[in-house]
Amino acid sequence: MKILQSWTAGVWTGAEPRQVLHSAIDGSAIYASHVEILDFQAALTYARQIGLKNLLALDFQQRAAILRALAKYLTEHKEALYAISSHTGATRGDSWIDIEGGAGTVFAYASIGTNEFPSGNVVHEGPAMQLGKQGHFSGTHILVPRQGVAVHINAFNFPVWGLLEKFAPSFLAGMPCIVKPATATSYLTEALVRQIHVSGLLPEGSLQLIIGATGNLLDLLEETDVVTFTGSAATAAQLKVHPNIVRRSIPFNAEADSLNCAILGPDIVDGDEEVDLYVKEVVREMTAKAGQKCTAIRRAMVPAAQLDAVAEKIRTRLDKTVVGDPRLEGVLGVRGVLMGPLASRAQQHDVLASIQQLAAGNQIICGGTVPAQLQGEGLEQGAFVSPTLIICRQPMENSAVHEIEAFGPVATLMPYQDMQEALMLAAKGNGSLVATLVTKDPHVAAMAIPHMAARHGRLMILNAESAPESTGHGSPLPQLKHGGPGRAGGGEELGGGRAVKHYLQRAAVQGSPTMLAAVTAEHVRGAAVLESDIHPFRRYFEDLQIGMSLLTHRRTVAEADIVAFGGLSGDYFYMHFDEIAAKESPFGKRIAHGYFVLSAAAGLFVSPAPGPVLANYGLDTLRFIKPVGIGDTIRARLTCKRKTDRQKKDAKGVGQGVVAWDVEVTNQDNELVAAYDILTLVAKKAGAIA
């Protein structure tokens, strides 16, 4: 029996056993937590003095590159984790969600860091706002690393994904992490952290692991720290009011188990493909991970007229679910196991007790006990529970089905009379992580979804059109928010770049545009510019400075320009060609095409010869502010606004970075007529061909 070790303050700790951990499959003793008490002050000091220093020596782009390398490494070494994961009760398919889903989330945040965050450690939430009449006083917002430690307390059901989905955005934000997994399955998390440690990819102090209790850790946290929790609503409520967390206003984010629901829309009738899609979704959420998902469907709502028919379809599918040793999934000559045991005997006890509470006044259609038959040998001490379907025929009167969660392969089916009642039933869960509406009627979706959004963190609309590409009710995605109001904890995770910003501190900054540009490392309109005899497009990435600028010569717009552009583009809108109609318009005259103004501006500022600028790949924040008429004279100012070094090279080995250019087009009265950003790829000197 192996003794698990904590990794804190640069040392693996654990030599004597404390709590014996058993295989969920057969109850055999496989691991033990350690009895040694950790020095949490030392762990925090190590994180602050070593981890924080090393992380902030890097920028967002560099940390994103490390995440990408880590995701690749974990993917290459995944089989070692699969071998251990089966002891948690997970089938290969269940483990895929946890292990490769975790690595995939790290890959996703590597891309988010590369594409959405700057090269430095200051995020500018612009644009800056002019606060003074003369343009000498402005304001904006920035996001900066909190200079604290992230403490992540995780649940037992996803030992790998649970760590990685929180670690990735924390690391990207420059926060060292101390992770405490649920003890029951902490052996898989320890194996993950050992892999990460062996990889040597993370800066020292970035990640620490606690096996067992957190002791006085929360008492020692400071205002700059963050605490996240995933688990039961009851434990979340206790941690949220921890005296030190309250006294210091330490950000606390909870993602708690909730009574998620799935509604079969009133427009769906027997024979529709959507009925089978609904049944498949409910069964999949009951059996994947043996129902031990915080997003699993706990309450299934159907039109009253279809209650018994849908119940029979679900029961028939559940009867075909082979329960047993998850290691036998896909073994030749053996009927494939589709569902394994719960994570522990304690969890089995809790789920069976919850089933009995839910059964009071209701009808158990199937399951409700330990399976009579299991696929495999020596499973008598395993933590198995049969897939259990319960019917509640009076859901408006029975409060238990909206309050008690059996965190296992259990769902309650209930009827509704009309869509309004279905929405009332959904709301009785008092806040959940996710809900699914199965409908093919856009009017039903348009009415129901905004109403449901007030009490659900994520909403999925399922029908025959979306089903082939659907990721499923229970799958949180890195790009979309994960979390929900009320019982679900009131917190928020994932959601693309939003997750990173949860670990950053937002501040408002006021001052002159020049000072704001210096702070944000981004040109702010009105700031001092650096005029140069060398065209900015002739400079390599390393040589460009924020604020380098070119003021072009002028061009007077003639009627011939408008006519030629209309012929070239096919745009004969009356405002450009109908003298009478144009005079009656708010502008009182014919005006040039907006896109002609852009094209003319490009002609003014582009340096046409080959050079460091490799490509123009986008245009952002375009606004046409004032019209340009026949006889108006325009000019452009091109200014280096922002540089992002994505640490990339092209096929020839030439390094390149992204440069955003601020473009201001003005008329003869120095009035702004158009403004926008141009995004370009610019070569670096190293390896470049002169």
Side-chain angles (χ1 to χ4, degrees):
M1 181 175 63
K2 179 182 177 183
I3 298 171
L4 301 177
Q5 294 183 310
S6 296
W7 171 251
T8 59
V11 176
W12 288 103
T13 300
E16 298 296 328
R18 182 177 184 182
Q19 179 183 345
V20 176
L21 306 180
H22 300 272
S23 170
I25 301 171
D26 56 15
S28 60
I30 50 174
Y31 296 97
S33 63
H34 61 78
V35 74
E36 291 86 353
I37 297 174
L38 299 174
D39 184 342
F40 293 108
Q41 185 61 69
L44 287 167
T45 300
Y46 181 71
R48 299 187 203 287
Q49 294 183 359
I50 305 298
L52 192 60
K53 176 184 176 182
N54 289 335
L55 284 172
L56 296 187
L58 307 171
D59 63 25
F60 285 105
Q61 294 293 318
Q62 292 168 322
R63 293 192 292 271
I66 291 173
L67 286 180
R68 187 174 303 281
L70 177 62
K72 186 173 183 292
Y73 180 89
L74 293 176
T75 300
E76 292 170 349
H77 294 79
K78 63 186 179 183
E79 292 303 326
L81 298 179
Y82 273 110
I84 300 171
S85 181
S86 61
H87 285 293
T88 71
T91 64
R92 177 86 183 188
D94 295 336
S95 297
W96 181 90
I97 301 170
D98 190 27
I99 297 169
E100 297 190 52
T105 299
V106 178
F107 268 125
Y109 273 94
S111 295
I112 288 166
T114 299
N115 296 326
E116 299 182 21
F117 286 85
S119 293
N121 277 320
V122 177
V123 178
H124 182 205
E125 285 194 316
M129 301 161 281
Q130 182 175 317
L131 302 176
K133 291 183 178 180
Q134 303 302 316
H136 301 306
F137 187 63
S138 298
T140 193
H141 292 91
I142 60 172
L143 290 165
V144 298
R146 294 181 58 86
Q147 300 183 21
V149 180
V151 175
H152 299 311
I153 304 171
N154 294 335
F156 68 83
N157 52 339
F158 287 103
V160 175
W161 178 86
L163 182 149
L164 295 174
E165 65 100 3
K166 293 180 181 179
F167 169 75
S170 307
F171 180 85
L172 196 52
M175 289 196 87
C177 297
I178 298 176
V179 178
K180 184 265 184 285
T183 304
T185 55
S186 57
Y187 50 87
L188 182 52
T189 308
E190 192 229 35
L192 168 68
V193 173
R194 285 189 181 276
Q195 279 194 358
I196 294 173
H197 178 65
V198 170
S199 77
L201 292 168
L202 297 188
E204 183 183 356
S206 302
L207 177 64
Q208 298 181 73
L209 172 70
I210 297 171
I211 298 294
T214 55
N216 65 341
L217 175 62
L218 299 185
D219 296 322
L220 302 173
L221 298 182
E222 300 175 358
E223 292 81 0
T224 54
D225 300 328
V226 171
V227 178
T228 72
F229 171 78
T230 300
S232 72
T235 304
Q238 292 175 357
L239 292 176
K240 191 178 295 185
V241 295
H242 185 280
N244 191 46
I245 289 176
V246 174
R247 182 172 59 254
R248 293 179 177 267
S249 299
I250 296 169
F252 179 85
N253 188 84
E255 185 266 288
D257 306 330
S258 58
L259 289 154
N260 311 295
C261 69
I263 301 174
L264 183 65
D267 57 301
I268 306 301
V269 298
D270 190 33
D272 287 347
E273 183 179 349
E274 282 74 12
V275 174
D276 287 336
L277 291 174
Y278 180 84
V279 169
K280 290 177 184 178
E281 201 70 29
V282 171
V283 171
R284 178 168 61 181
E285 291 303 313
M286 291 177 67
T287 56
K289 291 286 289 185
Q292 299 169 109
K293 297 197 301 181
C294 56
T295 54
I297 295 170
R298 306 300 180 195
R299 299 176 299 149
M301 301 153 189
V302 300
Q306 299 192 59
L307 179 65
D308 292 321
V310 171
E312 180 58 25
K313 288 177 180 291
I314 294 175
R315 185 195 64 77
T316 300
R317 278 189 169 271
L318 290 176
D319 285 346
K320 297 176 182 177
T321 300
V322 179
V323 181
D325 188 335
R327 295 169 295 192
L328 298 180
E329 180 187 20
V331 174
L332 291 176
V334 178
R335 190 180 176 198
V337 171
L338 299 178
M339 192 182 93
L342 302 184
S344 66
R345 290 294 295 271
Q347 185 64 17
Q348 178 195 43
H349 178 272
D350 289 346
V351 169
L352 290 173
S354 295
I355 289 173
Q356 292 308 307
Q357 290 178 284
L358 289 170
N362 296 316
Q363 176 185 2
I364 295 180
I365 299 299
C366 62
T369 62
V370 176
Q373 292 185 331
L374 293 169
Q375 187 76 290
E377 301 295 331
L379 308 181
E380 294 78 14
Q381 298 303 311
F384 295 92
V385 171
S386 297
T388 301
L389 179 66
I390 299 169
I391 285 185
C392 174
R393 296 186 183 275
Q394 301 294 329
M396 294 298 291
E397 285 73 45
N398 189 317
S399 60
V401 297
H402 307 294
E403 296 173 358
I404 298 171
E405 180 184 24
F407 198 72
V410 183
T412 302
L413 188 65
M414 56 191 73
Y416 68 83
Q417 301 303 318
D418 54 36
M419 196 61 202
Q420 289 301 323
E421 185 171 271
L423 296 176
M424 291 173 64
L425 291 172
K428 282 181 172 290
N430 294 321
S432 72
L433 296 172
V434 57
T436 288
L437 173 64
V438 177
T439 180
K440 55 184 178 180
D441 187 340
H443 298 290
V444 171
M447 182 277 290
I449 292 298
H451 184 93
M452 297 171 70
R455 291 180 174 85
H456 299 82
R458 176 168 58 88
L459 295 158
M460 187 178 82
I461 306 168
L462 180 65
N463 54 33
E465 180 183 2
S466 64
E469 297 182 343
S470 172
T471 52
H473 166 100
S475 299
L477 300 176
Q479 301 87 348
L480 296 178
K481 169 197 167 182
H482 178 49
R487 177 180 172 130
E492 186 174 314
E493 300 172 358
L494 302 177
R498 295 167 61 95
V500 183
K501 294 177 182 180
H502 293 324
Y503 299 103
L504 299 173
Q505 179 62 43
R506 180 177 286 105
V509 184
Q510 297 166 278
S512 70
T514 299
M515 292 297 104
L516 296 187
V519 169
T520 62
E522 183 173 303
H523 175 69
V524 174
R525 285 179 188 157
V529 296
L530 303 173
E531 304 281 6
S532 173
D533 293 336
I534 301 175
H535 193 292
F537 280 10
R538 312 308 304 168
R539 294 183 181 272
Y540 288 98
F541 184 82
E542 299 95 325
D543 296 334
L544 280 168
Q545 298 179 47
I546 303 300
M548 280 187 170
S549 188
L550 169 72
L551 183 63
T552 71
H553 58 282
R554 300 177 180 86
R555 172 173 177 168
T556 299
V557 178
E559 181 180 18
D561 293 322
I562 297 175
V563 173
F565 192 83
L568 181 66
S569 65
D571 181 354
Y572 293 102
F573 189 58
Y574 78 90
M575 196 65 70
H576 312 308
F577 288 94
D578 190 327
E579 190 77 41
I580 296 174
K583 284 183 178 180
E584 296 174 352
S585 74
F587 303 123
K589 61 181 180 179
R590 288 168 62 194
I591 61 173
H593 304 73
Y595 293 109
F596 166 76
V597 174
L598 297 188
S599 300
L604 292 171
F605 65 66
V606 164
S607 177
V613 175
L614 304 173
N616 174 344
Y617 76 94
L619 185 149
D620 288 343
T621 67
L622 170 64
R623 292 293 183 271
F624 296 115
I625 294 95
K626 294 184 76 71
V628 174
I630 297 169
D632 284 347
T633 298
I634 61 173
R635 70 191 314 185
R637 177 172 286 282
L638 176 77
T639 306
C640 179
K641 179 177 182 177
R642 181 175 60 250
K643 294 172 58 182
T644 305
D645 186 353
R646 293 184 175 173
Q647 314 287 320
K648 291 185 177 180
K649 296 182 179 181
D650 64 15
K652 297 180 180 179
V654 178
Q656 54 189 231
V658 175
V659 178
W661 305 87
D662 177 69
V663 180
E664 298 174 275
V665 184
T666 55
N667 62 16
Q668 65 276 7
D669 299 318
N670 206 34
E671 298 171 319
L672 195 63
V673 299
Y676 49 98
D677 293 348
I678 292 176
L679 306 177
T680 61
L681 289 177
V682 179
K684 294 181 180 180
K685 285 181 178 178
I689 300 175

